[in-house]
Amino acid sequence: MSDDKRNKTTVDIYGQPYTIVGTESASHMRLVASMVDEKMREIRMKNPYLETSKLAVLTAVNTIHEYIKLKDELDQLQLELKREKD
């Protein structure tokens, strides 16, 4: 990945600044960061005494759980679409 294709942006996640570098647009990286921040705050509301590191792990676990559910749903829909075409 060459430097001219990388974007760098600073975001705030749960009150901490992070510099994110990637090939996605700065607005995409800010969207992702805001969704992580939102999920952390959602979990914190249910578990107000969690340490930040445990909160971050639970956020990751919840996010991957949601990703797997969506991926399974997508796979199922693609299978149904394929059956209709055949």
Side-chain angles (χ1 to χ4, degrees):
M1 177 164 55
S2 67
D3 288 335
D4 59 331
K5 293 183 181 179
R6 296 177 3 168
N7 294 309
K8 179 177 169 182
T9 190
T10 301
V11 299
D12 185 81
I13 300 174
Y14 207 68
Q16 294 294 313
Y18 294 90
T19 299
I20 300 175
V21 178
T23 57
E24 299 293 336
S25 69
S27 63
H28 176 80
M29 291 187 278
R30 283 192 299 272
L31 174 62
V32 169
S34 72
M35 292 175 75
V36 170
D37 182 76
E38 183 179 319
K39 180 58 80 176
M40 287 182 78
R41 291 178 190 285
E42 176 186 316
I43 293 170
R44 173 61 74 151
M45 293 291 288
K46 296 175 185 174
N47 302 284
Y49 301 108
L50 280 177
E51 300 170 11
T52 303
S53 60
K54 289 185 179 186
L55 176 61
V57 170
L58 282 177
T59 299
V61 168
N62 276 268
T63 302
I64 294 301
H65 169 70
E66 291 172 8
Y67 167 80
I68 289 170
K69 284 175 40 178
L70 287 170
K71 178 136 178 27
D72 288 346
E73 186 178 328
L74 175 62
D75 291 345
Q76 184 64 37
L77 289 170
Q78 287 175 329
L79 184 61
E80 289 175 24
L81 185 60
K82 185 178 185 293
R83 284 185 193 145
E84 287 183 18
K85 285 184 177 179
D86 291 341

